[in-house]
């Protein structure tokens, strides 16, 4: 009788030592599992802030490709990252798929440089009275129609005309050398190079999850210990 009672008393202790093995408790979690990195994606635009996806949906497009922005508006481009790099390079309507060069001692066009990681890049509109044309300088992309515009007119040098001119260049598009990001610009300026998105919120969420897991484990341990004490008490009654 003592042997049987002692065995019964040990059951709660064994369950506490390995709850999954004996059919108790939630499934064991894998502490090394981490969420996959997510490339930044453009949120909805707001007043004074326009957001544009670069290579949206894996296609050679900017989305939206044609926007209207007043002075002081920030236009942020979200790069997807991956094997295919993209750029936001200011272009010349009269010379599609070519960077806007400095004229008469003025400023040259902005250029994000080719980006193959998930980053953001922002322009500040400084002259909303002139159209701003841009394109992706990754080989063949501009000739496939990957262009965009800010404050393009509704007649004459429209966005559609700019895109049609780029597509007309097609396979004869010149391969451009990439020298990295270029700040400045005409009609809109970049004051910084592309930068990765901050991930504070993700880290915070992970920390909360870990804390909850520790509290749950403590509750299981306390409960198991109480069960063990109860079992020993029952065993002593049988012995007596």
């Amino acid at each position: 009788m003592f042997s049987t009672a002692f065995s019964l008393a040990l059951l709660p202790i064994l369950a506490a030592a390995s709850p999954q093995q004996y059919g108790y408790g939630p499934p064991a979690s894998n502490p090394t599992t981490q969420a996959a990195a997510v490339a930044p994606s453009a949120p909805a635009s707001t007043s004074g802030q326009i957001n544009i996806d670069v290579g949206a949906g894996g296609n050679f497009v900017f989305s939206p490709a044609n926007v209207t922005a007043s002075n002081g508006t920030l236009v942020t481009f979200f790069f997807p990252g991956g094997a295919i790099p993209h750029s936001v390079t200011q272009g010349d309507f009269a010379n599609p798929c070519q960077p806007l060069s400095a004229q008469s001692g003025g400023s040259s066009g902005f250029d994000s440089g080719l980006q193959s990681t998930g980053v953001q890049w922002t322009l500040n509109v400084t002259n909303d009275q002139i159209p701003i044309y841009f394109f992706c300088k990754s080989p063949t992309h501009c000739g496939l129609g990957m262009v965009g515009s800010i404050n393009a007119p509704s007649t004459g040098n429209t966005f559609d005309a700019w895109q049609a001119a780029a597509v007309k260049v097609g396979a004869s598009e010149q391969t451009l050398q990439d020298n990295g990001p270029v700040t400045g610009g005409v009609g809109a300026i970049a004051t910084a190079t592309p930068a990765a998105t901050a991930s504070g919120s993700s880290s915070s969420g992970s920390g909360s999850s870990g804390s909850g897991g520790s509290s749950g484990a403590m509750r299981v341990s306390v409960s198991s210990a109480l069960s063990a004490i109860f079992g020993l008490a029952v065993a002593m009654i049988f012995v007596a």
Side-chain angles (χ1 to χ4, degrees):
M1 180 181 295
F2 175 79
S3 175
T4 301
F6 187 72
S7 298
L8 289 172
L10 284 178
L11 285 177
I13 300 176
L14 293 175
S18 184
Q20 287 76 36
Q21 182 178 350
Y22 291 94
Y24 299 99
S29 60
N30 183 358
T32 62
T33 300
Q34 296 179 347
V38 178
S41 179
S45 297
T46 59
S47 177
Q49 174 70 58
I50 295 175
N51 300 314
I52 298 177
D53 267 319
V54 179
N59 300 309
F60 296 158
V61 297
F62 295 98
S63 180
N66 180 37
V67 299
T68 300
S70 58
N71 289 340
T73 299
L74 299 179
V75 180
T76 300
F77 296 86
F78 290 74
F79 291 82
I84 301 176
H86 293 293
S87 80
V88 177
T89 305
Q90 188 165 12
D92 182 356
F93 188 91
N95 195 14
C97 301
Q98 290 292 317
L100 180 65
S101 58
Q103 299 177 357
S104 302
S107 300
S108 59
F110 53 74
D111 189 357
S112 69
L114 290 174
Q115 303 296 324
S116 56
T117 58
V119 295
Q120 298 178 20
W121 192 57
T122 299
L123 300 174
N124 186 351
V125 177
T126 55
N127 187 349
D128 57 14
Q129 299 303 302
I130 63 173
I132 301 165
Y133 303 100
F134 56 87
F135 66 98
C136 176
K137 70 177 181 181
S138 194
T140 74
H141 292 194
C142 180
L144 290 171
M146 190 170 181
V147 301
S149 63
I150 301 171
N151 296 328
S154 57
T155 60
N157 294 346
T158 64
F159 164 75
D160 290 336
W162 167 239
Q163 187 174 52
V167 172
K168 188 175 180 179
V169 172
S172 63
E173 178 185 343
Q174 179 184 348
T175 298
L176 302 175
Q177 182 177 354
D178 181 47
N179 296 315
V182 176
T183 55
V186 178
I189 61 172
T191 58
T193 58
T197 309
S199 57
S201 58
S202 297
S203 299
S204 175
S206 298
S208 298
S209 175
S211 175
S214 299
S215 299
M218 183 178 296
R219 287 193 296 269
V220 170
S221 298
V222 172
S223 176
S224 299
L226 292 175
S227 298
I229 294 172
F230 178 76
L232 288 173
V234 172
M236 295 300 295
I237 293 174
F238 276 105
V239 171

